[in-house]
Amino acid sequence: HEQGQKGAAATAATPAGSTMTLDRVEALEAIGFCWNSQLAAWKERWGELKRFKDKFGNANVPSNFGPNPQLATWVKCQR
């Protein structure tokens, strides 16, 4: 049953104990709402690190990397 599948997906996407309705979940998803901001931030930094490696040939981001200090901090925290 389609409604049951959407309901299960909504329950999986929202925090435990959430009382958000399926309509609200679908409205948020329709505009690209991000349910897991930590994962989204990690993927964004991962992409930046891949671009850094493509440009510089390594993943050794200096701790004082002026063009992207957030990337430098992220790399340090991954180690």
Side-chain angles (χ1 to χ4, degrees):
H1 185 263
E2 186 177 301
Q3 186 68 18
Q5 291 172 344
K6 285 183 180 179
T11 301
T14 57
S18 174
T19 58
M20 187 174 298
T21 65
L22 178 58
D23 289 340
R24 289 182 180 183
V25 169
E26 289 175 344
L28 289 169
E29 289 179 347
I31 61 169
F33 184 80
C34 176
W35 293 103
N36 187 336
S37 60
Q38 286 183 314
L39 179 59
W42 192 93
K43 287 181 176 182
E44 183 177 340
R45 294 290 179 255
W46 171 248
E48 292 171 0
L49 182 59
K50 289 195 307 187
R51 289 188 293 280
F52 180 95
K53 184 179 183 298
D54 289 345
K55 183 173 182 178
F56 297 104
N58 63 64
N60 300 321
V61 181
S63 59
N64 60 349
F65 186 55
N68 191 341
Q70 296 88 356
L71 177 61
T73 300
W74 182 82
V75 168
K76 180 181 176 183
C77 290
Q78 300 309 302
R79 292 193 167 113

